[in-house]
Amino acid sequence: MNVPQFYHQRGFTLIELAIVLVIIGVLIGSFLGTLGARIDTTKRAETKDDLEVIKTALLGYAFSRVDSGKPHLPCPCTTDCDIDTANPQAGLQSGRVNGRCNVKFGFLPWGTLGLKPSDAWNSLYRYWVHPDFSDDGSAAVYAIDVCDSGSGEIRTRSPDGTETLMMASNVVAVVFTHGKNGYGGLSVDGVTRPVIPVANLDEDENDDGNSVFVSRTPTPRGATTAGGEFDDIVSWISDFELK
């Protein structure tokens, strides 16, 4: 007679389970980190593509007005304009005074240009324009052929971050995004983003409304290099391009 034999199957010990969980955690963490980096890279690439489209649209706007009045760029959409994207009249350029924009700096007039309003992080694009090049020709003086001392400047920093260098001058229009951190921006839903930290000098330079802007290699959150943390993406139009 055969006597049934019973086998004892040993389970995993707590130590073995802990090791497996640690390995799984490391793998998941690595995957999420890589995924996050890819998402950031994709969003920056998407926003750079948008800026090229915006530049083309701005030039097209000016060229389409060659036969009616004078070629000129649109005015910004200022903080008192309608940013409700559900409203067909949202994002229109602000009015003119004597044929000229009464402001230089605001938001991109996406409604006027027929473009989407925001970057990949859902912040409205910012826009600066030289008043001589937003003049529609109805004013007594029309200065499309000159670019005076109020023209825009694009600056950057040397690799060691110790000095500011000139990238471009005689700039007549600038469009930029506040990037992933969104500091100083406004969301497409009208939510004000956090203020620009004091240490982020170069980002603050872009947001102060004057004619000087900075474009340089991004630095990570909390960077202590000269100019501070920076992830703005800047595009511009020179007077030569417009002429």
Side-chain angles (χ1 to χ4, degrees), residues 6 11 23 68 101 103 116 119 135 144 148 157 159 185 221 228:
F6 297 93
I23 293 173
S68 56
C101 294
V103 291
K116 68 178 187 179
D119 60 21
D135 183 350
I144 193 70
D148 60 23
R157 291 186 181 273
R221 185 178 294 271

Side-chain angles (χ1 to χ4, degrees), residues 41-132:
T41 299
T42 299
K43 286 187 174 183
R44 285 191 70 85
E46 177 185 334
T47 299
K48 288 180 179 179
D49 288 344
D50 283 352
L51 287 171
E52 287 299 315
V53 172
I54 290 168
K55 182 175 179 177
T56 300
L58 287 169
L59 291 172
Y61 178 95
F63 297 157
S64 69
R65 281 148 180 80
V66 170
D67 296 328
S68 56
K70 298 290 185 178
H72 59 277
L73 293 166
C75 299
C77 177
T78 56
T79 52
D80 61 350
C81 75
D82 187 354
I83 64 170
D84 180 7
T85 54
N87 183 351
Q89 299 301 312
L92 299 181
Q93 61 178 321
S94 297
R96 300 175 184 275
V97 176
N98 295 325
R100 311 190 83 187
C101 294
N102 54 12
V103 291
K104 300 178 183 179
F105 186 64
F107 301 104
L108 181 75
W110 73 88
T112 298
L113 297 170
L115 301 173
K116 68 178 187 179
S118 60
D119 60 21
W121 299 277
N122 293 320
S123 292
L124 298 178
Y125 285 104
R126 304 307 297 266
Y127 173 60
W128 173 90
V129 64
H130 190 295
D132 285 350

Side-chain angles (χ1 to χ4, degrees), residues 24-40:
I24 292 174
V26 170
L27 292 174
I28 291 176
S30 175
F31 171 76
L32 292 177
T34 302
L35 179 62
R38 287 185 177 182
I39 291 174
D40 289 344

